[in-house]
Amino acid sequence: MSTAAPRPSPASASPSTEIRGAGGELHQRCGGSHPALTTNQGTPVADDQNSLRPSPRGPGLLEDFILREKITHFDHERIPERIVHARGSGAHGTFTLTKSLAKYTRAAVLTEVGKTTPVFARFSTVAGGAGSDVRGFAMKFYTTQGNWDLVGNNMPVFFIQDAIKFPDLIHAVKMEPDRGFPQAASAHDTFWDFISLTPESMHTIMWAMSDRALPRSLHDIEGFGVHTFRLVDTEGASTFVKFHWRPKRGVHSTLWDEAVKRAGADPDSQRRALFESIQAGDYPEWDLAVQLFTEAQAEGFAFDPLDATKLVPEELVPLEVIGHMVLDRWPDNFFAETEQVAFCPANVVPGIDFSNDPLLQGRLPSYLDTQLLRLGGPNFHQIPINAPKCPFANHQRDGHMQMQVPKGRVAYEPSSLDRGGPREAAEGFASAAVPADDGVKGRVRPERFADHYSQARLFYRSQTTYEQAHIAAALVFELSKVETPHVRAAIVGHLRNIDEDLATRVAGGLGLESLPDAPRPAAPVVDYPPSPALRTIGNGKPTLHGRRIGVLVAEGSDGDTLDAVRQAVESAGGRIVVVAPKLGGVTLADGARRTADGQLAGTPSVAFDAIALVLSSDGARSLTREAAAVDFVRDAFGHLKAIGFDAGAQPLLTAAGVPIGPGVVSVGDLPAFLASAMTRQWDREKQVRTLP
Ligand code: HDE
């Protein structure tokens, strides 16, 4: 219902349904008192159940304006989806500045300490569905000086250096054009073919094959502005800046097998988790940190900070936290807000400016262009989710879907006829005073862009041994889907330039008889000191906040144990989900009934961070004949999760082949169970799978 003032309803006041036979028509109607349903022109509708016919069994009539309006609107409900980042989840929140950058910029959002700026965030998958993929991390700040969009990803680097390669990259990663699949995952032969011929992608490939591409939830990801931007002070002098979003609880990922199973069991798991944590008041939070460096400092780096395939190691330029963001409101309407939100890296405010990063430069015109198509015309900035929350005025006019009614005869500037009309403002946006290079025009890249392997090596060698094994396993998984042998071999050749051991592991996992030749690097590969900040294991905070523990119960389970587990988990900040063979619940040992939150077959353990088995021996024995129950336990073990159990649960542990050992602990020792539930049991991994 979109009208402002509801009208009194002609419908009956009774809330029940009634059978009416007015005018020979017989059907069931709902009673109750409601505002009148109208057409989009405001005409009240007396019958929304039947289309107009010349006789009860006659054809439809073209004059039925009510039917035609309703169906035509329906037919136009979908708008073109985003060519990349089509699937996304959004949320409202606020950004609060804690440290002023007044020395570097005149942007109010970065200088007024304590100031709270409304924001809208949208997280997305670039190409595929909820499984393994780079995630988009797009932020719109509704500042007092206009909207500032920081449209980044959950990885600090990108596949390509120059925007001219973006359509090729995306065509290669999306479904193959002749067969139309894979639809919800990245393509194999085409993607790896392109990558094998694009060595600059190697660093991002390391990130994309790491656990970062398998986030546990959207609030467990880091965000990065990726490009180097500029902060500009009142004199026009500028400083380079890189933006980082750090989740308050650290970065957490799933295992590959877990992500694959979770995508099947609950393709909405990531959106649902964000929704549920906001609804529960357990708001996701991030710190905003910056890396600041001068152009002179940048000259001394071994790489060029204008190259988006490179990061600036934290050991070189430390991160400074300047504020935090909390997401505390789910959108009222998915389409109106999350779907219609239009982010654009060119949306900056006075005091923030672009660098000459050739990837960023190519993005600047692209977003407005795509939005003109996607949102149907030049007035999409008037859609509530896109409109600035500060005053805005200019002389742009007309166009599709103009919602404003400008007054007066003046639609130009300057004018003496309209003395109150908008004019340029001294405090308005001014580009950074950057002297132009004295190079020669041409299609060239700076020399320092040529090193494609050193930072890939830095990333790989900075990981823990578990994470290195995951990268190798992910490469084996992906390349095993590539049907073209020379493409597989070419990738392994590149890996040799990154790390010989990684190449050997992947070659072994693929069953290659010998190591392919490595291509000759365009620039020498250098060894950076390892950067522990690039790991995820060890960088997450051990906490139960935001964690879900699945407790499996069956007939005869002990109610006191169940209550004790619930109490301990909830007081540590976690949430219990009771899973039973039937949603109606179970009869506990003391004869009381307990309902379940999830039915076993539809609630596998991939939905949880840890599980507890609170079972009578009879209950556990009956569950040994349920494949879903055995999988519940076996998968939790295979996914390195803590498993709590009471004495009765032993038959199910045995059926699942789960030995008692680290992370498989009695719920009699709740502190030990909670401690193991806060982390994964990494040392268990060699017990459960052969990694390359
Ligand atoms: Fe985007 N990108 N992109 N991109 N991008 C879009 O804009 C584009 C790039 C990113 O939640 C599109 O409105 C080009 C890098 C995010 O709505 C499109 C190039 C990074 C989102 C577009 C890039 C991103 C987009 C699709 C290379 C990380 C989703 C629909 C020159 C820093 C925003 C739309 C949302 C969306 C173009 C590269 C991040 C087509 C041409 C690098 C998070 O305009």
Side-chain angles (χ1 to χ4, degrees):
M1 182 76 190
S2 55
T3 50
R7 300 179 191 191
S9 167
S12 132
S14 148
S16 60
T17 59
E18 59 184 60
I19 308 288
R20 288 218 311 210
E25 206 282 302
L26 185 73
H27 70 263
Q28 208 161 349
R29 280 178 195 254
C30 296
S33 176
H34 290 273
L37 179 85
T38 74
T39 65
N40 284 335
Q41 303 306 318
T43 308
V45 174
D47 187 338
D48 190 40
Q49 319 300 325
N50 299 290
S51 53
L52 188 64
R53 272 159 254 156
S55 60
R57 302 182 65 235
L61 288 178
L62 201 56
E63 77 171 64
D64 188 352
F65 67 95
I66 294 175
L67 172 77
R68 272 191 291 119
E69 181 199 82
K70 188 173 178 181
I71 298 288
T72 306
H73 197 279
F74 169 78
D75 290 343
H76 291 254
E77 272 178 13
R78 290 281 69 80
I79 57 176
E81 70 169 29
R82 291 164 171 85
I83 166 72
V84 284
H85 298 270
R87 285 198 195 189
S89 307
H92 294 272
T94 53
F95 168 71
T96 308
L97 190 74
T98 51
K99 184 175 178 190
S100 173
L101 293 180
K103 205 172 136 203
Y104 307 98
T105 176
R106 60 196 183 93
V109 62
L110 299 178
T111 52
E112 296 175 8
V113 170
K115 188 175 181 57
T116 293
T117 302
V119 296
F120 187 77
R122 185 172 178 275
F123 307 105
S124 46
T125 44
V126 176
S132 164
D133 201 349
V134 177
R135 298 300 197 278
F137 195 121
M139 294 295 307
K140 189 179 284 293
F141 296 73
Y142 302 93
T143 90
T144 52
Q145 294 166 303
N147 288 352
W148 171 38
D149 292 355
L150 189 54
V151 197
N153 278 345
N154 75 328
M155 297 177 190
V157 284
F158 202 66
F159 295 94
I160 47 171
Q161 295 175 322
D162 192 310
I164 200 166
K165 295 313 296 169
F166 192 63
D168 298 290
L169 168 72
I170 299 303
H171 290 172
V173 76
K174 289 237 181 186
M175 66 185 187
E176 295 190 29
D178 57 347
R179 56 210 69 185
F181 60 85
Q183 291 183 73
S186 50
H188 300 110
D189 285 65
T190 52
F191 176 67
W192 289 102
D193 181 32
F194 176 80
I195 292 298
S196 73
L197 300 169
T198 310
E200 71 206 49
S201 65
M202 285 304 140
H203 184 196
T204 304
I205 284 295
M206 288 295 104
W207 284 80
M209 292 294 105
S210 79
D211 296 349
R212 301 258 180 171
L214 306 166
R216 176 190 165 276
S217 77
L218 297 172
H219 23 120
D220 293 313
I221 59 175
E222 267 181 294
F224 300 91
V226 176
H227 312 282
T228 298
F229 288 87
R230 285 177 188 274
L231 295 183
V232 190
D233 69 14
T234 38
E235 308 301 315
S238 67
T239 309
F240 279 147
V241 60
K242 298 209 90 136
F243 294 102
H244 300 244
W245 292 106
R246 302 224 126 160
K248 286 266 197 204
R249 291 178 200 149
V251 179
H252 295 276
S253 298
T254 59
L255 286 133
W256 191 285
D257 180 69
E258 181 186 3
V260 168
K261 288 181 174 154
R262 207 166 65 157
D266 182 6
D268 295 315
S269 62
Q270 306 241 311
R271 183 176 295 171
R272 185 196 310 285
L274 187 64
F275 173 80
E276 286 179 355
S277 66
I278 291 176
Q279 298 307 93
D282 187 13
Y283 302 133
E285 287 185 60
W286 284 261
D287 281 331
L288 179 63
V290 290
Q291 284 177 298
L292 297 165
F293 49 97
T294 61
E295 210 143 353
Q297 266 175 295
E299 286 301 317
F301 297 164
F303 53 89
D304 194 327
L306 302 187
D307 170 359
T309 69
K310 307 294 190 312
L311 53 77
V312 179
E314 286 182 35
E315 291 72 15
L316 191 61
V317 180
L319 263 64
E320 288 176 57
V321 173
I322 58 158
H324 61 263
M325 181 252 294
V326 54
L327 297 180
D328 56 7
R329 188 160 65 84
W330 191 257
D332 291 319
N333 184 275
F334 184 87
F335 181 84
E337 300 177 87
T338 308
E339 196 59 13
Q340 292 200 110
V341 66
F343 294 96
C344 177
N347 291 350
V348 289
V349 293
I352 302 177
D353 203 352
F354 318 111
S355 72
N356 288 344
D357 172 342
L359 190 65
L360 174 60
Q361 292 287 324
R363 289 178 75 198
L364 298 179
S366 160
Y367 289 65
L368 173 60
D369 178 34
T370 206
Q371 282 144 14
L372 287 171
L373 172 70
R374 196 167 71 79
L375 298 168
N379 290 314
F380 63 84
H381 63 284
Q382 296 176 18
I383 297 172
I385 193 68
N386 294 323
K389 295 192 195 298
C390 62
F392 61 103
N394 57 44
H395 296 288
Q396 293 166 25
R397 282 291 175 268
D398 309 344
H400 278 292
M401 300 297 160
Q402 173 59 263
M403 300 290 158
Q404 293 169 341
V405 185
K407 296 197 171 59
R409 64 201 290 201
V410 173
Y412 55 87
E413 184 273 355
S415 122
S416 64
L417 300 185
D418 177 9
R419 297 202 178 271
R423 285 266 178 100
E424 302 126 314
E427 67 280 9
F429 178 85
S431 296
V434 184
D437 279 352
D438 48 3
V440 176
K441 178 175 163 186
R443 296 183 180 276
V444 283
R445 287 186 208 189
E447 244 172 65
R448 279 193 302 164
F449 277 40
D451 172 13
H452 303 319
Y453 299 104
S454 300
Q455 288 211 353
R457 176 180 290 179
L458 165 70
F459 181 78
Y460 180 73
R461 294 197 179 160
S462 298
Q463 304 301 305
T464 60
T465 51
Y466 309 112
E467 288 164 296
Q468 289 184 342
H470 294 168
I471 293 172
L475 282 160
V476 172
F477 182 103
E478 282 291 311
L479 295 175
S480 297
K481 301 226 177 243
V482 172
E483 291 164 2
T484 322
H486 77 253
V487 172
R488 294 196 290 263
I491 294 291
V492 177
H494 286 294
L495 297 180
R496 295 188 68 183
N497 286 336
I498 298 171
D499 186 278
E500 196 67 26
D501 182 52
L502 171 64
T504 310
R505 290 165 97 164
V506 174
L510 293 171
L512 296 190
E513 278 169 16
S514 60
L515 276 181
D517 289 339
R520 202 161 63 83
V525 187
V526 294
D527 287 322
Y528 287 90
S531 169
L534 299 176
R535 299 175 186 154
T536 55
I537 295 181
N539 281 338
K541 303 209 175 32
T543 174
L544 275 196
H545 275 280
R547 304 264 175 265
R548 282 159 43 109
I549 316 285
V551 185
L552 182 60
V553 297
E555 294 301 308
S557 288
D558 182 53
D560 290 341
T561 309
L562 178 57
D563 291 339
V565 173
R566 177 190 297 277
Q567 218 247 318
V569 169
E570 287 178 352
S571 50
R575 229 184 94 200
I576 285 288
V577 177
V578 176
V579 180
K582 293 179 188 163
L583 198 61
V586 295
T587 304
L588 300 173
D590 62 3
R593 289 287 299 170
R594 203 57 80 80
T595 53
D597 307 308
Q599 189 242 348
L600 178 57
T603 318
S605 62
V606 288
F608 305 113
D609 298 289
I611 62 164
L613 309 172
V614 177
L615 298 167
S616 66
S617 337
D618 282 350
R621 261 192 294 277
S622 71
L623 288 181
T624 58
R625 293 186 296 276
E626 291 287 345
V630 176
D631 285 349
F632 190 85
V633 182
R634 189 181 298 166
D635 274 348
F637 189 71
H639 299 150
L640 317 182
K641 293 171 182 172
I643 300 177
F645 62 92
D646 67 359
Q650 188 57 56
L652 188 57
L653 286 173
T654 309
V658 169
I660 292 170
V664 182
V665 286
S666 161
V667 288
D669 185 356
L670 279 169
F673 171 59
L674 296 190
S676 2
M678 289 180 189
T679 171
R680 298 287 170 114
Q681 312 299 312
W682 299 111
D683 286 336
R684 192 192 291 159
E685 189 147 40
K686 43 191 171 305
Q687 252 177 285
V688 294
R689 67 182 62 86
T690 311
L691 289 166

